[in-house]
Amino acid sequence: MKYMRDGLPDSYGILELQDKILEIAKYIHDFCEEHEINYCLMGGSALGARRHGGFIPWDDDLDIFMTPDNFEKFRELFLSKGDTTKFYLQEYGKCKNGYVTVPKLRMNGTAYLEELTKDWDIHQGVFVDIFILHACPNSKIKQLWQCFWAKCAVIKGMSMRGYNRQKGLKKVLLSVSKVLPRKLMVDFALKQVYRYRNCKSDYLCNFLGKAVYKRGIYKRKWFENNKNMPFEKIELKVPGGLHEFLSERFGDYMTPPSEDRIKWEQHAVMWNTNASINEGGAYSDEYKLV
């Protein structure tokens, strides 16, 4: 392994995949350091850095945060100066079959298939997710407004991707969103998410992710002094207020989850670090089943 620590047990059969993901993450880190772009690990990736010194053993993806300003700088510089031969930047709203809710930097010549998008005609390479960390107003009413429209955009994207929920509120929301126009559910909705961009508030948020309202709001000061931290054989950036961020996001974050939760956390249904879909065929024996 080039980036994973030596001697790690391959209990979940994904060390090879994690090593390839880290190759992408190292490229992002080095590119951001060179061009003074601020980013940090988020969610389970930040938790892995703190609790495991790298990947959570069963984690098959890696997520980072960037603010809108930093992401737009990254996008512009990557497209003009980055290694576009090796990597591909997949952006929100650029897919023919639906919406990629989160920008991804994918590696060419690899494959990583997720259940909901495995049949799409899009780049399906191994990736690192780039979540946008938005400014969030201090007013609770404005926070709720921003969160509501963010979830509208997410639900509309899910309905366009053909996501099917058999019962419950999510099924109702998906059904309703199918008949509502994109201009309302996506274009207008995203304007409401970005409208507080220049707001000098005490908070940032990730309402376009899984977290709902309070669990998606973080104190701005936690991300003001992001720092390098060991992650397997390399270093990646974590929030300056890492303990506070992890405590808010996970509670008792040093206690591992149940086996059922572990399986729920995994994303890939099959992957290949040496061949893309077009090079090998999505369901050939070369692909690792999860």
Side-chain angles (χ1 to χ4, degrees):
M1 295 292 165
K2 190 174 181 180
Y3 301 103
M4 298 297 291
R5 286 166 291 171
D6 299 329
L8 290 174
D10 197 7
S11 303
Y12 296 89
I14 57 174
L15 280 182
E16 179 186 336
L17 174 61
Q18 291 174 331
D19 195 66
K20 188 61 68 175
I21 293 171
L22 267 191
E23 185 174 348
I24 305 172
K26 186 178 187 306
Y27 175 82
I28 293 174
H29 175 83
D30 292 345
F31 191 87
C32 289
E33 292 279 270
E34 178 183 357
H35 297 288
E36 298 182 339
I37 298 169
N38 196 19
Y39 86 95
C40 66
L41 297 177
M42 62 157 289
S45 300
L47 173 58
R50 174 66 180 85
R51 193 170 71 196
H52 301 274
F55 274 107
I56 295 173
W58 53 86
D59 204 354
D60 60 357
D61 75 341
L62 189 141
D63 304 323
I64 66 174
F65 271 145
M66 286 185 189
T67 63
D69 287 348
N70 281 286
F71 175 70
E72 289 172 10
K73 183 178 181 181
F74 175 82
R75 176 177 58 196
E76 179 182 354
L77 289 172
F78 172 76
L79 294 177
S80 61
K81 299 180 179 181
D83 189 352
T84 54
T85 300
K86 188 171 185 179
F87 301 102
Y88 173 77
L89 182 61
Q90 192 172 62
E91 296 182 62
Y92 186 93
K94 297 295 180 70
C95 295
K96 291 182 286 187
N97 304 68
Y99 285 87
V100 174
T101 312
V102 179
K104 302 173 186 284
L105 189 70
R106 293 189 183 264
M107 181 179 285
N108 296 327
T110 65
Y112 182 110
L113 302 182
E114 298 176 274
E115 182 62 39
L116 288 178
T117 60
K118 67 176 188 281
D119 297 321
W120 288 15
D121 183 19
I122 61 172
H123 195 302
Q124 298 275 21
V126 175
F127 62 87
V128 167
D129 276 325
I130 305 173
F131 285 81
I132 308 301
L133 193 59
H134 294 277
C136 183
N138 291 338
S139 164
K140 288 187 177 181
I141 293 175
K142 292 180 178 179
Q143 289 173 0
L144 286 167
W145 176 267
Q146 187 182 29
C147 182
F148 170 78
W149 286 108
K151 296 309 178 186
C152 284
V154 172
I155 289 290
K156 183 64 173 178
M158 292 169 67
S159 69
M160 294 182 69
R161 293 196 298 265
Y163 181 85
N164 182 30
R165 184 78 173 200
Q166 298 300 321
K167 58 182 179 179
L169 178 59
K170 187 169 284 188
K171 180 179 180 180
V172 174
L173 293 174
L174 286 168
S175 299
V176 172
S177 71
K178 287 181 180 179
V179 300
L180 294 175
R182 169 185 161 167
K183 284 189 176 295
L184 173 67
M185 295 292 286
V186 177
D187 299 349
F188 178 80
L190 288 178
K191 285 182 180 178
Q192 307 317 302
V193 176
Y194 277 86
R195 71 180 298 179
Y196 305 106
R197 178 172 180 164
N198 298 318
C199 160
K200 302 302 181 183
S201 64
D202 298 324
Y203 301 100
L204 299 171
C205 66
N206 178 34
F207 292 147
L208 289 171
K210 293 179 182 178
V212 178
Y213 188 42
K214 287 187 177 181
R215 292 183 64 83
I217 298 176
Y218 315 115
K219 291 184 179 179
R220 185 185 292 268
K221 65 182 181 181
W222 297 345
F223 303 92
E224 289 178 346
N225 298 294
N226 296 341
K227 57 192 178 184
N228 288 346
M229 189 169 186
F231 197 99
E232 305 301 345
K233 290 182 180 179
I234 64 175
E235 288 191 341
L236 298 174
K237 283 194 179 298
V238 298
L242 180 61
H243 170 69
E244 293 82 1
F245 168 68
L246 292 177
S247 297
E248 178 70 21
R249 183 69 179 83
F250 298 103
D252 179 17
Y253 61 83
M254 294 303 287
T255 301
S258 66
E259 286 296 324
D260 288 342
R261 181 71 183 184
I262 287 173
K263 189 61 181 175
W264 184 85
E265 291 285 353
Q266 294 176 325
H267 299 78
V269 292
M270 55 183 64
W271 51 272
N272 191 323
T273 61
N274 298 306
S276 67
I277 299 303
N278 291 335
E279 294 167 338
Y283 302 101
S284 72
D285 291 339
E286 299 176 7
Y287 285 73
K288 313 287 187 179
L289 298 178
V290 177

